[in-house]
Amino acid sequence: MIEAHKTAYAEFIKAVHDMGGSSRDYDRAGQAEEKALLAICAYPAITDGSRWGKARYLLEIEARGELDLPHHVQALLRSTMWKG
């Protein structure tokens, strides 16, 4: 999921900087990036390795100021409610 988000983020940045692209390309890339980030937030990491990986990556995203939407926080909180 992290690699998918990195790819979607790179495509979003490219769409932002691409002068020849349409607003539809920009919107589509933004939606794909948002969906990939939300998938990471919602992922119920249950092993130590997956928890550390998720936390490290999301801290990087947060440091860029990109983990600030209410649905990100809600997804993160829900992902911690593991049903064993």
Side-chain angles (χ1 to χ4, degrees):
M1 278 188 276
I2 289 174
E3 289 305 315
H5 179 258
K6 287 180 179 181
T7 300
Y9 184 75
E11 290 173 8
F12 174 67
I13 295 300
K14 182 177 182 271
V16 169
H17 294 292
D18 188 6
M19 295 298 178
S22 70
S23 63
R24 194 170 61 199
D25 292 338
Y26 171 83
D27 291 342
R28 192 174 335 169
Q31 289 171 358
E33 186 273 335
E34 180 66 26
K35 182 178 179 183
L37 180 56
L38 198 54
I40 294 169
C41 291
Y43 176 73
I46 57 171
T47 67
D48 286 342
S50 62
R51 281 193 299 271
W52 278 95
K54 177 180 175 176
R56 269 194 307 271
Y57 188 70
L58 291 177
L59 284 169
E60 291 174 20
I61 300 300
E62 193 277 330
R64 294 193 310 234
E66 298 174 13
L67 190 65
D68 58 352
L69 298 176
H71 58 277
H72 292 147
V73 175
Q74 290 171 3
L76 277 167
L77 292 172
R78 285 189 182 108
S79 77
T80 63
M81 296 189 299
W82 182 64
K83 298 174 186 162

